[in-house]
Amino acid sequence: MVSLGSAHVGSPDVFYEGKAGPYRLFVTVRTPPMIPGIAQIEVRSLDGNVTDVRIAPLRAVGEGSEYAPPSDRMERSRADSQYFTGKLWLMASGAWQVRMEVFGTQGKAETAVPVPAAARRTLRMQNTTGTLLLALMLLLVASMIAIFGAAARESQLEPNTAASAQLRRRGRIAMTVSAVALVAILFLGNMWWNAAARGRAEQMMYKAPPIEASLQYTNTLVLKMGFSSWHDRRKDMLLDKIIPDHGHIMHLFLIGLPDLNPLYHLHPDQMSADTFAERLPVVAAGNYALFADIVRESGFPDTMTARLTLPNLPGDPPAGDDSETTVASPADVKGSSAFFTLPGNSRWELSLDTQGLRARQPLILRFRIFDNDGKPASNLEPYMGMGGHLVIVKRDLAVFAHVHPSGSMPMAALLLLEKQKDSGSSAMRAMPGMHETAPAEVTFPYGFPETGDYRLFVQIKRSGQVQTGVFDVHVGP
Ligand SMILES: [Cu+2]
């Protein structure tokens, strides 16, 4: 399986919803596919009157996180005064932050959004540049052939005498030999260049570390991380150590294939630097796609992927933060809302701000939880410190994202930035994502990266029990 994105799989943009002082912001950072490259930033103020936003890129941790470069002023939309756009250069791969100063009628406020930067592809040479360079190369080659020819034919000629037939022949031979030699040099040079570019691209282009899964002692899943040259080159950026993200060193998702049913959300323990293990709960035999989320000390996230075939396994039902869900009838989202019914006690509504979903469009996914009698649920509890967790999988597995009420970045990365600030002004404290006004509501900011069919698994906790709502959505162009 190929993993394309960084924070997740195939979902490289960052979506954040949170407070900067008195202002509530929805921030989208479209990360550049090439590094160095330009990140596109969109800020929407959801409440309060914002007049000006200034942004600056900084490293997430280390020396580079302490000295902010001069900030850039974001452009305010003429049509929508609470919408701002801007661009920032990200000069190297790794964990970055976009620091924001927000000005408005309620004064100045600050916040920061973590942004993982990683090259996903290389830029092709522009056609005009390529044509120009090809023409220059041909001119150079033709000139060199002419020089070799002239040297062989005329270098020993007396002034004012014409070259003899024999000298002319010598000239032609020199031209032929030099032409063959030059073509050979160009051919071999091209081969060397391509090999060097490939090797370099392999090191520069982000790749999640490979992970190997095996079953030991009947039902213990052992995961061993492999070597990734991309990460190895970035040891200087504190990328090797793994830190817990919302209470767990790893979030492991097993998704049944081919129908994306069932879903296991597990939390293996770290046995050594590169080995994780989890005693599996009772598992039905089948093929599974495995997604393992970890966060590095710098706040840089990795989602490692593998395939796994499991036999019927005995075991206990999942306990604690672990959960399992097998859904017979997921809700099909048409238009702007859909209902999902969980046997027994609850009815979930997904409502969208828009009619239908479009690729790359930032939006807030809003889930409301009701009791059977139609009243808003009153027994929601934080689940791993937050109002909810959302797992997004594209049918063809090209996209996987693990999103939270604060956004698509790892919560551990958000906390790192939070710690850098001294004051309590920021609002990443609103991390739980449980809305005070509507306690039975959980929201997630996100943008689907491409068109296609997706499944959403929303996980919340009610009276000590983890529940999962399942919604199928179609994202149009
Ligand atoms: Cu989570």
Side-chain angles (χ1 to χ4, degrees):
M1 206 183 296
V2 190
S3 39
L4 298 165
S6 50
H8 311 280
V9 176
S11 186
D13 292 345
V14 174
F15 302 93
Y16 166 78
E17 191 202 333
K19 290 194 119 180
Y23 312 107
R24 203 156 64 85
L25 304 179
F26 187 166
V27 180
T28 303
V29 181
R30 305 207 183 272
T31 60
M34 279 84 58
I35 303 288
I38 295 171
Q40 313 265 359
I41 294 134
E42 299 158 26
V43 174
R44 174 175 294 286
S45 165
L46 299 174
D47 57 23
N49 186 9
V50 174
T51 51
D52 216 348
V53 183
R54 301 188 68 92
I55 46 174
L58 277 90
R59 290 289 203 173
V61 290
E63 287 251 296
S65 67
E66 283 161 37
Y67 310 104
S71 60
D72 285 352
R73 197 169 163 196
M74 294 187 82
E75 199 170 317
R76 193 176 185 178
S77 159
R78 276 171 207 279
D80 179 352
S81 69
Q82 293 306 297
Y83 184 62
F84 299 82
T85 53
K87 289 175 187 170
L88 288 176
W89 273 96
L90 298 182
M91 296 309 292
S93 291
W96 288 80
Q97 58 175 303
V98 173
R99 206 169 274 182
M100 294 181 190
E101 295 170 299
V102 185
F103 303 84
T105 47
Q106 286 159 281
K108 183 189 160 187
E110 263 183 56
T111 191
V113 176
V115 176
R120 303 189 293 274
R121 56 187 173 90
T122 49
L123 190 58
R124 281 185 61 86
M125 188 183 284
Q126 281 178 335
N127 277 342
T128 41
T129 314
T131 312
L132 180 71
L133 288 174
L134 181 72
L136 287 171
M137 184 190 74
L138 289 176
L139 179 71
L140 205 60
V141 168
S143 310
M144 285 181 83
I145 293 171
I147 289 167
F148 281 121
R153 194 169 59 235
E154 293 163 27
S155 58
Q156 286 161 26
L157 215 56
E158 294 296 322
N160 299 324
T161 49
S164 65
Q166 193 201 351
L167 281 173
R168 283 205 301 276
R169 208 173 137 250
R170 243 177 79 181
R172 277 197 298 277
I173 291 167
M175 284 167 87
T176 312
V177 170
S178 59
V180 169
L182 283 167
V183 167
I185 287 168
L186 285 176
F187 179 76
L188 292 172
N190 187 45
M191 265 172 61
W192 167 80
W193 177 268
N194 283 341
R198 244 196 323 275
R200 189 115 178 97
E202 218 149 85
Q203 291 176 334
M204 308 293 288
M205 219 85 81
Y206 172 79
K207 237 195 269 152
I211 193 160
E212 216 173 84
S214 63
L215 213 49
Q216 291 178 16
Y217 315 112
T218 316
N219 64 349
T220 299
L221 184 67
V222 176
L223 301 169
K224 201 165 162 47
M225 272 169 70
F227 173 82
S228 154
S229 56
W230 188 89
H231 288 91
D232 198 53
R233 283 171 58 85
R234 285 165 185 80
K235 281 219 171 98
D236 54 316
M237 291 171 16
L238 305 170
L239 268 167
D240 22 357
K241 209 178 141 204
I242 298 167
I243 56 169
D245 185 15
H246 45 296
H248 296 283
I249 203 84
M250 176 184 275
H251 292 261
L252 174 70
F253 301 90
L254 299 181
I255 302 178
L257 297 177
D259 53 2
L260 308 185
N261 215 0
L263 166 83
Y264 292 86
H265 178 173
L266 309 170
H267 304 94
D269 294 319
Q270 189 169 20
M271 312 311 285
S272 66
D274 62 351
T275 309
F276 302 81
E278 162 96 13
R279 170 91 58 90
L280 290 175
V282 53
V283 169
N287 292 319
Y288 290 89
L290 178 155
F291 299 92
D293 275 350
I294 54 164
V295 180
R296 310 286 177 155
E297 206 167 11
S298 61
F300 193 93
D302 284 294
T303 297
M304 298 171 284
T305 58
R307 295 293 177 94
L308 190 61
T309 303
L310 291 174
N312 275 317
L313 289 177
D316 302 321
D321 289 340
D322 290 2
S323 67
E324 181 272 341
T325 189
T326 306
V327 168
S329 52
D332 216 343
V333 182
K334 297 253 159 60
S336 64
S337 74
F339 282 93
F340 171 80
T341 311
L342 204 64
N345 64 351
S346 61
R347 194 166 141 83
W348 305 38
E349 183 191 16
L350 164 60
S351 62
L352 306 169
D353 316 341
T354 55
Q355 279 291 325
L357 293 163
R358 284 185 291 124
R360 291 174 55 81
Q361 177 192 31
L363 82 165
I364 288 176
L365 297 162
R366 193 177 298 278
F367 297 90
R368 293 196 186 94
I369 323 292
F370 299 95
D371 284 335
N372 261 0
D373 56 10
K375 288 206 190 92
S378 56
N379 58 350
L380 259 70
E381 294 168 6
Y383 173 31
M384 292 186 276
M386 282 169 278
H389 303 254
L390 172 63
V391 172
I392 298 171
V393 196
K394 196 166 170 237
R395 280 260 150 221
D396 61 5
L397 305 179
V399 176
F400 171 88
H402 172 185
V403 184
H404 298 106
S406 306
S408 62
M409 70 291 287
M411 296 303 101
L414 216 48
L415 281 174
L416 272 178
L417 301 190
E418 177 68 5
K419 274 190 212 141
Q420 289 170 8
K421 273 181 285 180
D422 35 337
S423 72
S425 69
S426 151
M428 289 166 192
R429 312 221 180 253
M431 185 97 74
M434 317 260 286
H435 295 238
E436 288 122 43
T437 46
E441 183 177 279
V442 189
T443 61
F444 301 90
Y446 190 63
F448 294 89
E450 56 193 52
T451 60
D453 293 316
Y454 294 80
R455 175 159 286 188
L456 315 181
F457 297 95
V458 196
Q459 302 199 296
I460 56 150
K461 202 169 187 177
R462 291 186 71 179
S463 298
Q465 199 194 353
V466 180
Q467 294 187 345
T468 306
V470 185
F471 295 80
D472 282 339
V473 300
H474 177 77
V475 176

